[in-house]
Amino acid sequence: MIPIIKYGSDEMKRVYGRTQLGSAEFSGAVAEIIANVRKHGDKALFDYAKKFDKSDVNADNILVTEDEIKAAYASVDKKLIESLRRAKENILSYHVKQRDKYKNEFFSGGANGKSALGWIYRPLSRVGLYVPGGKASYPSTVLMTALPAVAAGVDEIVVATPNIKNPLILVACAECGVKKIYKVGGAQAIAALAYGTESVERVDLIAGPGNVFVTLAKKQVFGDVAVDMIAGPSEILVIADESADPELVAADMLSQAEHDELAASILVTTGKELAEEVQKQTQAQTSVLPRREIIEKSLKNNGAIVLCDNMDQAIEVADKVAPEHLEVCTKDAHDVALRLKNAGAIFVGGFSPEPLGDYFAGPSHVLPTSGSARFSSVLSVDTFMKKTSYIAYDRDDLLAGADDIISIAESEGFNAHANTIIRRKR
């Protein structure tokens, strides 16, 4: 049974105690995999595919073929493909609007105003998307990672995914215009994308979720390649008052609890009766769900109902947790949502449940977890863009600041820096 705890009690430590990635025991194994792929290329990549994924992958068959794509389309229900396409339309439309803000800007600069300063935006050239293929496979993740990259104008998008058991993954890739799909997964796929092998060209950024080995690999290759985020288990926090429907609140909490035993489902409420009814509803609904065992462990280990005296306390709890998904089910849901500071995505009102964001509304479902929403953002067009400074001074403006530049450079012991200015003063 999910526990009810009081705001301010010692039990709140379990609500605030989630960390970004508590699996250091696997770090050494991941580092070894990365080092081997980096050194031995294809040979290590294919050996690990056989060892971990039981896949006989080689240079001739590592890429998904056009015939395999056609076979995937033929095996998927046409109504499901149409649903996928409607979701694609929403997601792409949402992210295309984000691209509008990326305009190159130039303005007058320098002491005399004769020079130009500004910035130039460019999309990344090549990105690699990781799509899980182990315990669960997520065609929706293809849409939620590839379409923001498409909207950003990325030149080439590739996908790495192991053991393609769900043909809808291939259909989703094709619908998003992905031309290269590598049949590899795990930490070895992340290493191949980061450093390249004979068969896999290196990328500029790796995005997408994965298991602990994939996540640790992304963490270890960061710096040699960009990554979208270091994500942990899924989580949802619901802020609700007495106006909320306890049946629906419970259903929304269970939608995340079914992900895995480490997922967290938290209700923060000002209503004691609502808290007790949601507690009953989670039990009743769990009893008839296929993933009952996972849900029960998730609620017992990481679930909580926090009873607050007022909405200020509820907002304080939510901002400290900084959850991946945050639902606001209150009378004044919009006003409450605007007061919140830390969340991956905010779902406002009783008809905006978290699965709407997972599959259909438009924003990406790749979100910061484990409190990292305090300092990071949802995957979006921003993830796939870079900004370059533009500086174009004329001689008069340079000379106007020359003595200051020389003075600062020499104070730091960088005389060669100062020398470049001194020579231009002659």
Side-chain angles (χ1 to χ4, degrees), residues 163-219:
N163 292 337
I164 305 166
K165 298 174 182 176
N166 186 346
L168 192 58
I169 286 180
L170 298 186
V171 172
C173 287
E175 290 290 323
C176 293
V178 175
K179 303 299 183 185
K180 290 184 179 179
I181 308 167
Y182 297 108
K183 303 173 187 175
V184 289
Q188 60 271 21
I190 301 301
L193 290 171
Y195 301 110
T197 71
E198 295 88 337
S199 298
V200 180
E201 186 180 348
R202 70 180 300 181
V203 299
D204 303 317
L205 175 142
I206 301 170
N211 64 17
V212 63
F213 293 96
V214 169
T215 303
L216 284 169
K218 287 171 68 177
K219 188 174 184 179

Side-chain angles (χ1 to χ4, degrees), residues 244-267:
D245 185 330
E247 179 183 347
L248 299 182
V249 170
D252 294 354
M253 293 172 70
L254 299 182
S255 73
Q256 294 308 292
E258 75 171 346
H259 270 282
D260 61 58
E261 294 89 343
L262 297 177
S265 300
I266 300 167
L267 168 63

Side-chain angles (χ1 to χ4, degrees), residues 93-124:
S93 174
Y94 176 88
H95 287 93
V96 165
K97 289 180 174 64
Q98 292 183 352
R99 180 63 199 264
D100 292 342
K101 73 178 182 180
Y102 287 99
K103 294 180 173 63
N104 298 337
E105 297 282 350
F106 305 98
F107 52 89
S108 297
N112 300 305
K114 298 177 181 178
S115 302
L117 296 173
W119 48 82
I120 300 170
Y121 289 107
R122 294 286 184 267
L124 301 181

